[in-house]
Coordinates of all heavy atoms in Angstrom, one line a residue:
M1456 N 91.0 109.8 79.4 CA 92.3 110.0 78.8 C 93.4 109.5 79.7 O 93.3 109.6 80.9 CB 92.5 111.5 78.6 CG 91.6 112.1 77.5 SD 92.0 113.8 77.1 CE 91.6 114.6 78.7
K1457 N 94.4 108.9 79.0 CA 95.5 108.3 79.8 C 96.8 108.7 79.1 O 97.0 108.8 77.9 CB 95.4 106.8 79.7 CG 94.5 106.2 80.8 CD 94.7 104.7 80.8 CE 94.0 104.1 82.0 NZ 94.2 102.6 82.1
R1458 N 97.8 109.0 80.0 CA 99.1 109.3 79.5 C 99.8 108.0 79.1 O 99.8 107.0 79.9 CB 100.0 110.0 80.6 CG 101.3 110.5 80.0 CD 102.1 111.3 81.0 NE 102.6 110.3 82.0 CZ 103.5 110.6 82.9 NH1 103.8 111.9 83.1 NH2 103.9 109.7 83.8
I1459 N 100.3 107.9 77.9 CA 100.9 106.7 77.4 C 102.4 106.7 77.4 O 103.0 105.6 77.5 CB 100.3 106.4 76.0 CG1 100.7 105.0 75.5 CG2 100.6 107.4 75.0 CD1 99.9 103.9 76.0
Y1460 N 103.0 107.9 77.2 CA 104.4 107.9 77.0 C 104.9 109.3 77.3 O 104.2 110.3 77.0 CB 104.6 107.6 75.5 CG 106.1 107.5 75.1 CD1 107.0 106.7 75.8 CD2 106.6 108.2 74.0 CE1 108.3 106.6 75.4 CE2 107.9 108.1 73.6 CZ 108.7 107.3 74.3 OH 110.0 107.1 73.8
S1461 N 106.1 109.4 78.0 CA 106.7 110.7 78.2 C 108.2 110.5 78.0 O 108.8 109.5 78.4 CB 106.4 111.1 79.7 OG 107.1 112.3 79.9
C1462 N 108.8 111.5 77.3 CA 110.2 111.4 77.0 C 110.7 112.8 76.7 O 110.0 113.6 76.3 CB 110.3 110.5 75.7 SG 112.0 110.4 75.1
E1463 N 112.0 112.9 77.1 CA 112.6 114.3 77.0 C 112.9 114.6 75.5 O 113.0 115.7 75.1 CB 113.9 114.4 77.8 CG 114.9 113.4 77.3 CD 116.2 113.5 78.2 OE1 116.4 114.6 78.8 OE2 116.9 112.5 78.3
N1464 N 112.9 113.5 74.7 CA 113.2 113.7 73.3 C 111.9 113.9 72.5 O 111.1 113.0 72.3 CB 114.0 112.5 72.8 CG 114.5 112.7 71.3 OD1 113.9 113.4 70.6 ND2 115.5 112.0 71.0
H1465 N 111.7 115.2 72.1 CA 110.5 115.5 71.4 C 110.3 114.7 70.1 O 109.2 114.3 69.7 CB 110.5 117.0 71.0 CG 109.3 117.5 70.4 ND1 109.2 118.0 69.2 CD2 108.0 117.7 71.0 CE1 107.9 118.3 68.9 NE2 107.2 118.2 70.0
F1466 N 111.4 114.4 69.4 CA 111.3 113.6 68.2 C 110.7 112.2 68.5 O 109.9 111.7 67.7 CB 112.7 113.4 67.6 CG 112.8 112.5 66.4 CD1 112.3 113.0 65.2 CD2 113.2 111.2 66.5 CE1 112.4 112.2 64.1 CE2 113.2 110.4 65.4 CZ 112.8 110.8 64.2
L1467 N 111.1 111.6 69.6 CA 110.5 110.3 69.9 C 109.0 110.4 70.2 O 108.3 109.4 69.9 CB 111.3 109.7 71.1 CG 112.7 109.2 70.8 CD1 113.4 108.7 72.1 CD2 112.7 108.2 69.7
I1468 N 108.6 111.5 70.8 CA 107.2 111.6 71.1 C 106.4 111.7 69.8 O 105.4 111.1 69.6 CB 107.0 112.9 71.9 CG1 107.6 112.8 73.3 CG2 105.5 113.3 72.0 CD1 106.8 112.0 74.3
I1469 N 106.9 112.5 68.8 CA 106.2 112.6 67.6 C 106.3 111.3 66.8 O 105.3 110.9 66.2 CB 106.9 113.7 66.7 CG1 106.8 115.1 67.4 CG2 106.3 113.8 65.3 CD1 105.3 115.5 67.7
N1470 N 107.4 110.6 66.9 CA 107.5 109.3 66.3 C 106.4 108.3 66.8 O 105.7 107.6 66.1 CB 108.9 108.7 66.5 CG 109.2 107.6 65.6 OD1 108.7 107.5 64.5 ND2 110.0 106.6 66.1
A1471 N 106.3 108.3 68.2 CA 105.3 107.5 68.8 C 103.9 107.9 68.4 O 103.1 107.0 68.2 CB 105.5 107.6 70.3
K1472 N 103.7 109.2 68.4 CA 102.3 109.6 68.0 C 102.0 109.2 66.6 O 100.9 108.7 66.3 CB 102.3 111.2 68.0 CG 101.0 111.8 67.6 CD 100.9 113.2 67.9 CE 99.7 113.9 67.2 NZ 98.4 113.2 67.4
N1473 N 103.0 109.3 65.6 CA 102.7 108.8 64.3 C 102.4 107.3 64.2 O 101.5 106.9 63.5 CB 104.0 109.1 63.4 CG 104.1 110.6 63.1 OD1 103.1 111.3 63.2 ND2 105.3 111.0 62.8
I1474 N 103.1 106.5 65.0 CA 102.9 105.1 65.0 C 101.5 104.8 65.5 O 100.7 104.0 65.0 CB 104.0 104.4 65.9 CG1 105.3 104.4 65.2 CG2 103.5 103.0 66.2 CD1 106.5 104.0 66.0
I1475 N 101.1 105.5 66.6 CA 99.8 105.2 67.3 C 98.7 105.7 66.4 O 97.6 105.1 66.3 CB 99.8 105.7 68.7 CG1 100.8 104.9 69.5 CG2 98.4 105.6 69.3 CD1 101.1 105.5 70.9
D1476 N 98.9 106.9 65.8 CA 97.9 107.4 64.9 C 97.6 106.5 63.8 O 96.5 106.3 63.3 CB 98.3 108.8 64.4 CG 98.2 109.9 65.4 OD1 97.6 109.7 66.5 OD2 98.6 111.0 65.1
G1477 N 98.7 105.8 63.3 CA 98.6 104.9 62.3 C 97.8 103.6 62.6 O 97.3 102.9 61.7
L1478 N 97.6 103.4 63.9 CA 96.8 102.3 64.3 C 95.3 102.7 64.4 O 94.5 102.0 64.9 CB 97.2 101.8 65.7 CG 98.7 101.2 65.8 CD1 99.0 100.9 67.2 CD2 98.8 100.0 64.9
G1479 N 95.1 104.0 64.1 CA 93.7 104.5 64.2 C 93.3 104.9 65.6 O 92.1 105.0 65.9
I1480 N 94.3 105.2 66.4 CA 94.1 105.6 67.8 C 94.3 107.1 67.9 O 95.3 107.6 67.5 CB 95.0 104.8 68.8 CG1 94.7 103.3 68.7 CG2 94.9 105.4 70.2 CD1 95.6 102.5 69.5
E1481 N 93.3 107.8 68.6 CA 93.4 109.2 68.7 C 94.3 109.6 69.9 O 94.2 109.1 71.0 CB 92.0 109.8 68.9 CG 91.8 111.2 68.5 CD 90.3 111.6 68.7 OE1 89.5 110.8 68.7 OE2 90.2 112.9 68.9
T1482 N 95.3 110.5 69.6 CA 96.2 110.9 70.6 C 96.4 112.4 70.6 O 96.0 113.1 69.6 CB 97.6 110.3 70.3 OG1 98.1 110.7 69.1 CG2 97.6 108.8 70.4
F1483 N 97.0 112.9 71.6 CA 97.4 114.3 71.6 C 98.7 114.5 72.4 O 99.0 113.7 73.3 CB 96.3 115.3 72.0 CG 96.0 115.2 73.5 CD1 96.6 116.1 74.4 CD2 95.1 114.3 73.9 CE1 96.3 116.0 75.8 CE2 94.7 114.2 75.3 CZ 95.3 115.0 76.2
V1484 N 99.5 115.5 72.1 CA 100.8 115.7 72.8 C 100.6 116.9 73.8 O 100.0 117.9 73.5 CB 101.9 116.1 71.8 CG1 103.2 116.4 72.6 CG2 102.1 114.9 70.9
K1485 N 101.0 116.6 75.1 CA 100.9 117.7 76.1 C 102.3 118.2 76.3 O 103.3 117.5 76.2 CB 100.4 117.0 77.4 CG 99.1 117.6 78.0 CD 98.7 116.9 79.2 CE 98.9 117.8 80.4 NZ 98.4 117.1 81.6
N1486 N 102.4 119.4 76.8 CA 103.8 120.0 77.1 C 104.6 120.1 75.9 O 105.9 120.1 76.0 CB 104.5 119.2 78.2 CG 103.8 119.2 79.5 OD1 103.0 120.1 79.7 ND2 104.2 118.3 80.4
E1487 N 104.0 120.2 74.7 CA 104.8 120.1 73.5 C 105.8 121.3 73.4 O 106.9 121.2 72.9 CB 103.9 120.1 72.3 CG 104.6 119.8 71.0 CD 103.7 119.5 69.8 OE1 102.5 119.8 69.9 OE2 104.2 119.1 68.8
F1488 N 105.3 122.4 73.9 CA 106.2 123.6 73.8 C 106.6 124.2 75.1 O 106.7 125.4 75.3 CB 105.4 124.7 72.9 CG 105.0 124.2 71.6 CD1 103.7 124.0 71.3 CD2 106.0 123.9 70.6 CE1 103.3 123.5 70.0 CE2 105.6 123.4 69.4 CZ 104.3 123.2 69.1
A1489 N 106.7 123.3 76.1 CA 106.9 123.7 77.5 C 108.4 123.9 77.9 O 108.7 124.2 79.0 CB 106.2 122.8 78.4
T1490 N 109.3 123.6 77.0 CA 110.7 123.6 77.3 C 111.2 124.9 77.9 O 112.1 125.0 78.6 CB 111.6 123.1 76.2 OG1 111.2 123.9 75.0 CG2 111.5 121.7 75.9
G1491 N 110.5 126.0 77.5 CA 110.9 127.3 78.0 C 110.7 127.5 79.5 O 111.3 128.4 80.1
A1492 N 110.0 126.6 80.1 CA 109.6 126.8 81.5 C 110.7 126.1 82.4 O 110.6 126.2 83.6 CB 108.2 126.2 81.8
I1493 N 111.6 125.4 81.8 CA 112.6 124.7 82.6 C 113.3 125.7 83.5 O 113.7 126.8 83.0 CB 113.6 123.9 81.7 CG1 112.9 122.7 81.1 CG2 114.8 123.4 82.5 CD1 113.7 121.9 80.2
G1494 N 113.5 125.4 84.7 CA 114.1 126.3 85.6 C 113.1 126.8 86.7 O 113.4 127.0 87.8
E1495 N 111.9 126.9 86.2 CA 110.8 127.3 87.2 C 110.2 126.0 87.8 O 109.9 126.0 89.0 CB 109.7 128.1 86.5 CG 110.3 129.4 86.0 CD 109.3 130.1 85.1 OE1 108.1 129.9 85.2 OE2 109.7 130.9 84.2
I1496 N 110.0 125.0 87.0 CA 109.5 123.7 87.5 C 110.5 122.7 87.1 O 111.4 123.0 86.3 CB 108.1 123.4 87.0 CG1 108.1 123.5 85.4 CG2 107.1 124.3 87.6 CD1 106.7 123.1 84.8
S1497 N 110.4 121.5 87.6 CA 111.4 120.5 87.3 C 111.4 120.1 85.9 O 110.4 120.2 85.2 CB 111.2 119.2 88.2 OG 110.2 118.4 87.6
A1498 N 112.6 119.7 85.4 CA 112.7 119.4 84.0 C 111.8 118.3 83.6 O 111.2 118.3 82.5 CB 114.2 119.0 83.7
F1499 N 111.6 117.3 84.5 CA 110.7 116.2 84.2 C 109.3 116.6 83.9 O 108.6 116.1 83.0 CB 110.7 115.2 85.3 CG 110.0 113.9 85.1 CD1 110.6 112.9 84.3 CD2 108.7 113.7 85.5 CE1 109.9 111.8 84.0 CE2 108.0 112.6 85.3 CZ 108.6 111.6 84.5
D1500 N 108.8 117.6 84.6 CA 107.5 118.1 84.4 C 107.3 118.8 83.0 O 106.2 119.0 82.6 CB 107.1 119.2 85.5 CG 106.9 118.5 86.8 OD1 106.6 117.3 86.9 OD2 107.0 119.2 87.9
C1501 N 108.4 119.1 82.4 CA 108.4 119.8 81.1 C 108.5 118.8 80.0 O 108.4 119.2 78.8 CB 109.5 120.8 81.0 SG 109.4 122.1 82.2
W1502 N 108.7 117.6 80.3 CA 108.8 116.6 79.2 C 107.5 116.6 78.4 O 106.5 116.6 79.0 CB 109.1 115.2 79.7 CG 110.5 115.0 80.1 CD1 111.5 116.0 80.3 CD2 111.2 113.8 80.5 NE1 112.7 115.4 80.7 CE2 112.5 114.1 80.8 CE3 110.7 112.5 80.5 CZ2 113.4 113.1 81.2 CZ3 111.6 111.5 80.8 CH2 112.9 111.8 81.2
P1503 N 107.6 116.5 77.1 CA 106.4 116.3 76.3 C 105.8 115.0 76.6 O 106.5 114.0 76.9 CB 106.9 116.4 74.8 CG 108.4 116.3 74.9 CD 108.8 116.6 76.2
E1504 N 104.5 114.9 76.6 CA 103.8 113.7 77.0 C 102.8 113.4 75.9 O 102.2 114.2 75.3 CB 103.0 113.9 78.3 CG 103.8 114.2 79.5 CD 103.0 114.5 80.7 OE1 101.8 114.8 80.6 OE2 103.6 114.5 81.8
L1505 N 102.7 112.1 75.6 CA 101.7 111.6 74.7 C 100.6 110.9 75.4 O 100.8 110.1 76.3 CB 102.4 110.6 73.7 CG 101.6 110.1 72.5 CD1 101.2 111.3 71.6 CD2 102.3 109.0 71.8
W1506 N 99.4 111.4 75.1 CA 98.1 110.9 75.7 C 97.2 110.2 74.7 O 97.2 110.6 73.6 CB 97.4 112.0 76.4 CG 98.0 112.6 77.6 CD1 99.2 113.3 77.6 CD2 97.6 112.6 78.9 NE1 99.5 113.7 78.9 CE2 98.5 113.3 79.7 CE3 96.4 112.1 79.6 CZ2 98.3 113.5 81.1 CZ3 96.2 112.3 80.9 CH2 97.2 113.0 81.7
V1507 N 96.6 109.1 75.2 CA 95.5 108.6 74.3 C 94.2 109.1 74.8 O 93.9 109.3 76.0 CB 95.5 107.0 74.4 CG1 96.7 106.4 73.7 CG2 95.3 106.5 75.8
V1508 N 93.3 109.4 73.8 CA 92.0 110.1 74.1 C 91.1 109.1 74.8 O 90.4 109.4 75.7 CB 91.4 110.7 72.9 CG1 90.1 111.3 73.1 CG2 92.4 111.8 72.3
N1509 N 91.0 107.9 74.2 CA 90.1 106.9 74.7 C 90.9 105.8 75.5 O 91.8 105.2 75.0 CB 89.4 106.2 73.6 CG 88.6 107.2 72.8 OD1 87.8 107.9 73.3 ND2 88.8 107.3 71.5
D1510 N 90.5 105.6 76.8 CA 91.2 104.7 77.7 C 91.2 103.3 77.1 O 92.1 102.5 77.3 CB 90.5 104.6 79.0 CG 90.8 105.9 79.8 OD1 91.4 106.8 79.3 OD2 90.3 106.0 81.0
C1511 N 90.2 102.9 76.3 CA 90.1 101.6 75.8 C 91.2 101.3 74.7 O 91.5 100.1 74.4 CB 88.7 101.3 75.2 SG 88.3 102.4 73.8
D1512 N 91.8 102.4 74.2 CA 92.9 102.2 73.3 C 94.3 102.1 74.0 O 95.3 101.8 73.3 CB 93.0 103.4 72.3 CG 91.8 103.5 71.4 OD1 91.3 102.4 71.0 OD2 91.4 104.6 71.0
Y1513 N 94.3 102.2 75.3 CA 95.6 102.3 76.0 C 96.4 101.1 75.8 O 97.6 101.2 75.5 CB 95.3 102.5 77.5 CG 96.5 102.6 78.3 CD1 97.2 103.9 78.5 CD2 97.1 101.5 78.9 CE1 98.3 104.0 79.2 CE2 98.3 101.7 79.7 CZ 98.9 102.9 79.8 OH 100.0 103.1 80.5
D1514 N 95.9 99.9 76.0 CA 96.7 98.6 75.9 C 97.4 98.5 74.5 O 98.5 98.2 74.4 CB 95.9 97.4 76.2 CG 95.5 97.3 77.7 OD1 96.1 98.0 78.5 OD2 94.6 96.6 78.0
K1515 N 96.6 98.8 73.5 CA 97.1 98.6 72.1 C 98.2 99.7 71.9 O 99.3 99.4 71.3 CB 96.0 98.8 71.1 CG 96.3 98.4 69.7 CD 95.1 98.5 68.8 CE 95.4 98.1 67.4 NZ 94.3 98.3 66.5
A1516 N 98.0 100.9 72.4 CA 99.0 101.9 72.2 C 100.2 101.6 73.0 O 101.3 101.9 72.6 CB 98.4 103.3 72.7
A1517 N 100.0 101.1 74.2 CA 101.2 100.7 75.1 C 102.1 99.7 74.4 O 103.3 99.7 74.5 CB 100.7 100.2 76.4
N1518 N 101.4 98.7 73.8 CA 102.2 97.7 73.1 C 103.0 98.3 71.9 O 104.1 97.9 71.7 CB 101.2 96.6 72.5 CG 100.8 95.6 73.5 OD1 101.5 95.5 74.5 ND2 99.8 94.9 73.3
A1519 N 102.4 99.3 71.2 CA 103.1 99.9 70.1 C 104.3 100.7 70.6 O 105.3 100.7 70.0 CB 102.1 100.8 69.4
I1520 N 104.1 101.4 71.8 CA 105.2 102.1 72.4 C 106.3 101.1 72.7 O 107.5 101.4 72.5 CB 104.7 102.8 73.6 CG1 103.8 103.9 73.3 CG2 105.9 103.4 74.4 CD1 104.4 105.1 72.7
E1521 N 105.9 100.0 73.3 CA 106.9 99.0 73.8 C 107.7 98.5 72.5 O 108.9 98.4 72.6 CB 106.2 97.9 74.5 CG 107.1 97.2 75.5 CD 106.3 96.2 76.3 OE1 105.2 96.6 76.8 OE2 106.7 95.1 76.5
L1522 N 107.0 98.2 71.5 CA 107.7 97.8 70.2 C 108.7 98.8 69.8 O 109.8 98.5 69.3 CB 106.6 97.6 69.2 CG 105.9 96.2 69.1 CD1 104.9 96.2 67.9 CD2 106.9 95.1 68.9
M1523 N 108.2 100.1 69.8 CA 109.1 101.2 69.3 C 110.3 101.4 70.2 O 111.4 101.7 69.6 CB 108.2 102.5 69.3 CG 108.9 103.6 68.6 SD 108.1 105.2 69.0 CE 108.9 105.5 70.6
T1524 N 110.2 101.2 71.5 CA 111.3 101.5 72.4 C 112.2 100.3 72.6 O 113.3 100.5 73.1 CB 110.8 102.1 73.7 OG1 109.9 101.1 74.2 CG2 110.1 103.4 73.5
Q1525 N 111.8 99.1 72.3 CA 112.6 98.0 72.5 C 113.7 97.9 71.4 O 113.4 98.2 70.2 CB 111.8 96.7 72.5 CG 111.2 96.3 73.8 CD 110.4 95.1 73.7 OE1 110.2 94.5 72.6 NE2 109.8 94.6 74.8
P1526 N 114.9 97.4 71.8 CA 115.9 97.2 70.7 C 115.4 96.1 69.8 O 114.8 95.1 70.3 CB 117.1 96.8 71.5 CG 116.7 96.5 72.9 CD 115.3 97.1 73.1
K1527 N 115.7 96.2 68.5 CA 115.2 95.2 67.6 C 116.0 93.9 67.9 O 117.2 93.8 68.1 CB 115.5 95.6 66.2 CG 114.6 96.8 65.8 CD 113.2 96.4 65.5 CE 112.3 97.6 65.2 NZ 111.5 98.0 66.4
S1528 N 115.2 92.8 67.9 CA 115.8 91.5 68.1 C 115.7 90.7 66.8 O 114.9 90.8 66.0 CB 115.0 90.8 69.2 OG 115.3 89.4 69.2
S1529 N 116.7 89.7 66.7 CA 116.7 88.9 65.5 C 115.7 87.8 65.6 O 115.5 87.0 64.7 CB 118.1 88.4 65.3 OG 118.5 87.6 66.4
T1530 N 115.1 87.6 66.8 CA 114.2 86.5 67.0 C 112.7 86.9 67.1 O 112.0 86.3 67.8 CB 114.6 85.7 68.3 OG1 114.7 86.6 69.4 CG2 115.9 85.0 68.1
T1531 N 112.4 88.0 66.4 CA 111.0 88.4 66.3 C 110.2 87.3 65.6 O 110.8 86.5 64.9 CB 110.8 89.7 65.6 OG1 111.5 89.6 64.3 CG2 111.4 90.8 66.3
W1532 N 108.9 87.2 65.8 CA 108.1 86.3 65.1 C 107.0 87.0 64.4 O 106.6 88.1 64.7 CB 107.5 85.2 66.1 CG 106.8 85.8 67.3 CD1 107.3 86.3 68.4 CD2 105.3 85.9 67.4 NE1 106.3 86.8 69.2 CE2 105.1 86.5 68.6 CE3 104.3 85.6 66.6 CZ2 103.8 86.8 69.1 CZ3 103.0 85.9 67.0 CH2 102.7 86.5 68.3
T1533 N 106.5 86.3 63.3 CA 105.5 86.9 62.5 C 104.2 86.3 62.7 O 104.1 85.0 62.7 CB 105.9 86.7 61.0 OG1 107.2 87.3 60.8 CG2 104.9 87.4 60.1
C1534 N 103.2 87.1 63.0 CA 101.8 86.6 63.3 C 101.3 85.9 62.0 O 101.3 86.4 60.9 CB 100.9 87.7 63.7 SG 99.2 87.2 63.9
E1535 N 100.8 84.6 62.2 CA 100.3 83.9 61.1 C 98.9 84.4 60.7 O 98.4 84.0 59.6 CB 100.3 82.4 61.4 CG 99.4 82.0 62.6 CD 99.6 80.5 62.9 OE1 100.7 80.0 62.6 OE2 98.7 79.9 63.5
N1536 N 98.3 85.1 61.6 CA 96.9 85.6 61.3 C 96.9 87.0 60.5 O 96.2 87.1 59.5 CB 96.2 85.8 62.6 CG 94.7 86.3 62.4 OD1 94.0 85.6 61.6 ND2 94.3 87.3 63.0
C1537 N 97.8 87.9 60.9 CA 97.8 89.2 60.3 C 99.1 89.6 59.7 O 99.3 90.7 59.2 CB 97.3 90.3 61.2 SG 98.5 90.6 62.5
S1538 N 100.1 88.7 59.8 CA 101.5 88.9 59.3 C 102.2 90.1 59.9 O 103.2 90.6 59.4 CB 101.4 89.2 57.8 OG 100.8 88.1 57.1
E1539 N 101.8 90.5 61.1 CA 102.5 91.6 61.8 C 103.7 91.0 62.5 O 103.7 89.8 63.0 CB 101.5 92.1 62.9 CG 102.0 93.5 63.5 CD 102.1 94.6 62.5 OE1 101.1 94.8 61.7 OE2 103.1 95.2 62.4
I1540 N 104.8 91.8 62.6 CA 106.0 91.3 63.3 C 105.9 91.6 64.7 O 105.5 92.7 65.2 CB 107.2 92.1 62.7 CG1 107.3 92.1 61.2 CG2 108.5 91.6 63.4 CD1 107.7 90.7 60.7
N1541 N 106.2 90.6 65.6 CA 106.1 90.7 67.0 C 107.4 90.5 67.7 O 108.2 89.7 67.3 CB 105.0 89.7 67.5 CG 103.6 90.1 67.2 OD1 103.0 90.8 67.9 ND2 103.1 89.6 66.1
E1542 N 107.6 91.1 68.8 CA 108.8 90.9 69.6 C 108.7 89.6 70.3 O 107.7 89.0 70.6 CB 108.9 92.0 70.7 CG 109.1 93.4 70.1 CD 110.4 93.6 69.4 OE1 111.4 93.0 69.9 OE2 110.4 94.3 68.4
P1543 N 109.9 89.0 70.6 CA 110.0 87.6 71.2 C 109.3 87.5 72.5 O 108.7 86.5 72.8 CB 111.5 87.4 71.4 CG 112.2 88.5 70.7 CD 111.3 89.6 70.3
S1544 N 109.2 88.6 73.2 CA 108.6 88.6 74.6 C 107.0 88.5 74.5 O 106.4 88.2 75.5 CB 109.0 89.8 75.4 OG 108.6 91.0 74.7
F1545 N 106.5 88.8 73.3 CA 105.0 88.8 73.2 C 104.5 87.4 73.0 O 105.0 86.7 72.1 CB 104.6 89.6 72.0 CG 104.8 91.1 72.2 CD1 105.5 91.6 73.3 CD2 104.2 92.0 71.3 CE1 105.7 93.0 73.5 CE2 104.4 93.4 71.5 CZ 105.1 93.9 72.6
E1546 N 103.5 87.0 73.8 CA 102.9 85.7 73.6 C 101.7 85.8 72.7 O 101.2 84.8 72.1 CB 102.5 85.1 74.9 CG 103.8 84.7 75.7 CD 103.4 84.1 77.1 OE1 102.2 83.9 77.3 OE2 104.3 84.0 77.9
L1547 N 101.1 87.0 72.6 CA 100.0 87.3 71.7 C 100.4 88.4 70.7 O 101.2 89.3 71.1 CB 98.8 87.8 72.5 CG 98.2 86.9 73.5 CD1 97.1 87.6 74.3 CD2 97.6 85.6 72.9
C1548 N 99.9 88.3 69.5 CA 100.2 89.3 68.5 C 99.7 90.7 69.1 O 98.5 90.8 69.5 CB 99.5 89.0 67.2 SG 99.6 90.3 66.0
W1549 N 100.5 91.7 69.0 CA 100.1 93.0 69.6 C 99.0 93.6 68.7 O 98.3 94.5 69.1 CB 101.3 93.9 69.7 CG 101.9 94.4 68.4 CD1 102.9 93.7 67.7 CD2 101.5 95.5 67.6 NE1 103.2 94.4 66.5 CE2 102.3 95.4 66.4 CE3 100.5 96.5 67.7 CZ2 102.2 96.4 65.4 CZ3 100.4 97.4 66.7 CH2 101.2 97.4 65.5
N1550 N 99.0 93.2 67.5 CA 98.1 93.8 66.5 C 96.7 93.2 66.6 O 95.7 93.9 66.6 CB 98.6 93.7 65.1 CG 97.8 94.5 64.1 OD1 97.5 95.7 64.3 ND2 97.5 93.9 63.0
C1551 N 96.6 91.9 66.6 CA 95.3 91.2 66.5 C 95.0 90.3 67.6 O 94.0 89.6 67.7 CB 95.2 90.5 65.2 SG 96.2 89.0 65.1
L1552 N 96.0 90.1 68.6 CA 95.9 89.3 69.8 C 95.8 87.8 69.4 O 95.4 87.0 70.2 CB 94.7 89.7 70.6 CG 94.7 91.2 71.1 CD1 93.5 91.5 72.0 CD2 96.0 91.5 71.9
H1553 N 96.2 87.5 68.2 CA 96.3 86.0 67.9 C 97.4 85.4 68.6 O 98.5 86.0 68.8 CB 96.5 85.9 66.4 CG 96.4 84.6 65.8 ND1 95.2 84.0 65.5 CD2 97.4 83.7 65.5 CE1 95.4 82.8 65.1 NE2 96.7 82.5 65.0
E1554 N 97.2 84.1 69.0 CA 98.3 83.4 69.8 C 99.5 83.1 68.9 O 99.3 82.8 67.8 CB 97.7 82.2 70.5 CG 96.9 82.5 71.7 CD 96.5 81.2 72.4 OE1 97.4 80.3 72.6 OE2 95.4 81.1 72.8
H1555 N 100.6 83.2 69.6 CA 101.9 82.8 68.8 C 101.8 81.4 68.5 O 101.7 80.5 69.3 CB 103.1 83.1 69.8 CG 104.4 82.9 69.1 ND1 105.6 82.9 69.8 CD2 104.7 82.6 67.8 CE1 106.6 82.7 68.9 NE2 106.1 82.5 67.7
Ligands
LIG2732 ZN1 98.3 89.3 64.4

């Protein structure tokens, strides 16, 4: 298991989980209800965390997180293999690894 994403905003964690679940990747949220503990341990330790169950899914999930957290650019490109929208910084399609 690997931690893929941590954020103080619980909504963003759930949003990320929905996106990654949609890719068929198994995830779970840690510290989901830990906010009550702030004050005893550092606030950062209380942030909800999103974990992937299978390490082999990490790269794909990490790409999805990156897509989600990056500001939308007008120069995205569309994969000619799977029609997925990719960020300009990607040289390979995040979805199918087809070359740009
Ligand atoms: Zn593709």
